[in-house]
Amino acid sequence: MLTATKKPPVPHRQFLGLALFILAMAQLVISLDYNIVYVALPSIGAGVGFSGQDLQWVVSAYVVANGGFLLLGGRATDLFGRRRMFVLGALLYAGSSLIGGLSESAGVLVTVRAVQGIGGALLFPATLSLINTVYAEGPSRNRALAVWGAAGAGGLCFGSLLGGVLVEAFGWPSVFFVNVPLAGAIALAGRVLFPADGPRAGKRQVDLAGALTATGGITLMVFVLVSGPEAGWGSGSVLGGAALSLVLLTLFAVVEKRSRDPLVPARLFAHRGLVMAMGVTALYSATFSSVAYFLTLYFQSVHGYSAFATGLAFLVPAVVVAAGTQVGGRAVSSFGTRRILVGGMVLGAVGAAALGLALTHDGPYPMLLPGIVLLGLGQGAAWTGMWIAASSGIAPGDQGIASGMASTTLQVGGAVGLAALIAVTRVGGPGLSGDGLLDGIRTALFVIAGGICCGVPVALGLRRSATP
């Protein structure tokens, strides 16, 4: 297995630069794959024959599978090797994307999206674990995480633009086909570039019972959170899923307590930096990550932007968030992780509130720019800071599961946050338009600003000693 002591004795600058390029491209593929299908949904629905109620599962299947398997993906990275999981995750993306582009069945397409989610659950923690072991803790790792974060931010925002261009030029299958050469090239590059994984250390075993109960419980939890707003919180499927999720997660806790080699080692919960970082990732996803949903509604339903125009409108946020990741990565060495996280959140809260105040029926796009810039810079800085916090002081052999833990709270936090915001603002209700829709979107941004502020005391809980 690749560890901090089994990388090249004297890592050449060329190797480190090329490795970072491949790792950043992996994060770009993950972000693109999550976001690119949004603008293609109407065409997918018409082309494959989805009902209006079922079309959401083209997105939701990915979210549910990805959130449910992240913990298992993180532990598999530690046990079976970072390079192996990196290559496997990329190949799952490539293969499932090819099948998705050729699919003519709604059921097959939803299954493909679930497999892509599992691929992301392997690739994401493997990528983070490689960064956290190839690059030494401190300025080198901070810079690498900043570049990796910028690639992710770019993928999330440029995905809408790329999706609009591809759908208009080549049809909806192109949003799947575009992943095939990208993911295939990443798998090949990872196989060639990264050092081979050695045999599993010691007698560490796969905690099969823990893996099954954790994956099942978290998958059902995310399913409930994603389907609740549409199906109704009192529906049988939602209540049944919630009850079964609770049972499985309770069994998981019992299994972990008795396991000799648990899926999630108890010692990691004693690592204050990781626990605080998990809290930050949950709040981050519940707030910052929900902004894109409400801005999309504003651009398309209030102002009537086309899919392509909406993608263009997200170019500025993409650039600003990417710039924020770079600023955050450089500033951590001078000011520390806690200060960067707190500063990013304060900046983001001010930006979200300013953006909410700027929303009008007929206001021009430049009126939104002050809020977008403040929000984006804060979002980018906080993104880099929270992953630095999650990896600081973690042993190389635990980097995969630590990444899985933090990314799981990221997914669950996003599902909880968006469901709560939709419930509070009722923007997902039938027939809501005009002043009611605009007021709901504006309220969501004010609530997001308040939620970001709640992350400040969590970030302050990080120990100074854990700050690079």
Side-chain angles (χ1 to χ4, degrees):
M1 181 184 293
L2 176 64
T3 67
T5 58
K6 286 195 174 183
K7 59 188 180 187
V10 182
H12 297 291
R13 184 171 298 179
Q14 183 178 4
F15 163 76
L16 293 178
L18 185 56
L20 183 56
F21 174 77
I22 299 303
L23 293 168
M25 286 299 297
Q27 178 63 5
L28 180 67
V29 167
I30 294 171
S31 300
L32 278 174
D33 195 63
Y34 176 81
N35 210 37
I36 199 171
V37 300
Y38 277 98
V39 296
L41 287 178
S43 299
I44 292 173
V48 181
F50 276 98
S51 67
Q53 185 176 3
D54 293 336
L55 186 59
Q56 65 158 330
W57 283 103
V58 176
V59 174
S60 299
Y62 181 96
V63 175
V64 170
N66 185 258
F69 280 80
L70 274 167
L71 206 58
L72 179 58
R75 200 51 171 165
T77 296
D78 292 330
L79 291 178
F80 301 113
R82 301 174 182 91
R83 190 180 77 167
R84 291 188 185 102
M85 293 302 104
F86 182 90
V87 172
L88 178 59
L91 289 176
L92 281 176
Y93 263 118
S96 58
S97 296
L98 178 61
I99 295 172
L102 297 172
S103 173
E104 297 180 356
S105 162
V108 171
L109 199 56
V110 169
T111 302
V112 162
R113 289 292 288 164
V115 175
Q116 287 180 326
I118 295 172
L122 297 177
L123 189 58
F124 189 91
T127 301
L128 260 180
S129 184
L130 282 165
I131 289 175
N132 294 331
T133 51
V134 169
Y135 301 89
E137 186 170 336
S140 177
R141 183 187 295 176
N142 296 348
R143 286 192 295 270
L145 286 169
V147 172
W148 169 83
L156 285 175
C157 293
F158 287 121
S160 298
L161 176 60
L162 180 61
V165 171
L166 289 174
V167 170
E168 290 190 10
F170 305 106
W172 69 262
S174 60
V175 302
F176 290 91
F177 288 142
V178 72
N179 276 326
V180 178
L182 288 175
I186 289 168
L188 178 62
R191 178 73 176 79
V192 172
L193 180 65
F194 300 124
D197 299 308
R200 284 164 51 186
K203 297 181 179 180
R204 298 172 70 180
Q205 302 295 320
V206 178
D207 180 11
L208 183 59
L212 291 174
T213 52
T215 302
I218 296 171
T219 301
L220 284 169
M221 181 195 302
V222 179
F223 165 81
V224 167
L225 294 169
V226 168
S227 61
E230 180 74 24
W233 295 105
S235 66
S237 61
V238 170
L239 292 177
L244 186 54
S245 173
L246 181 61
V247 170
L248 288 173
L249 291 176
T250 301
L251 286 174
F252 171 66
V254 173
V255 168
E256 293 300 277
K257 187 175 181 180
R258 298 180 178 181
S259 176
R260 293 182 178 180
D261 195 4
L263 182 71
V264 182
R267 64 180 178 276
L268 291 180
F269 289 104
H271 192 288
R272 184 172 179 177
L274 176 59
V275 173
M276 292 296 103
M278 290 167 63
V280 171
T281 59
L283 284 168
Y284 177 100
S285 190
T287 53
F288 282 112
S289 299
S290 298
V291 171
Y293 173 86
F294 294 100
L295 278 184
T296 301
L297 281 178
Y298 176 73
F299 292 140
Q300 294 187 337
S301 300
V302 176
H303 279 268
Y305 286 11
S306 66
F308 181 71
T310 300
L312 286 176
F314 276 105
L315 280 178
V316 174
V319 172
V320 175
V321 172
T325 63
Q326 300 304 301
V327 172
R330 295 175 185 274
V332 162
S333 299
S334 300
F335 300 103
T337 308
R338 293 200 312 171
R339 291 179 180 175
I340 294 304
L341 278 173
V342 171
M345 289 177 180
V346 170
L347 203 62
V350 173
L355 188 56
L357 291 172
L359 300 181
T360 62
H361 281 290
D362 52 5
Y365 182 80
M367 284 183 59
L368 308 180
L369 291 180
I372 286 175
V373 170
L374 292 174
L375 179 65
L377 288 174
Q379 181 175 355
W383 174 265
T384 302
M386 71 187 190
W387 293 114
I388 292 173
S391 64
S392 297
I394 302 294
D398 288 330
Q399 283 289 348
I401 187 60
S403 300
M405 291 166 68
S407 52
T408 297
T409 55
L410 185 78
Q411 289 289 341
V412 174
V416 171
L418 187 57
L421 286 165
I422 291 174
V424 168
T425 60
R426 299 183 180 179
V427 296
L432 188 63
S433 60
D435 290 338
L437 179 60
L438 179 59
D439 289 342
I441 296 171
R442 188 183 291 122
T443 299
L445 284 165
F446 292 148
V447 174
I448 286 171
I452 294 172
C453 290
C454 293
V456 172
V458 180
L460 289 173
L462 291 167
R463 292 186 184 275
R464 290 183 181 275
S465 60
T467 306

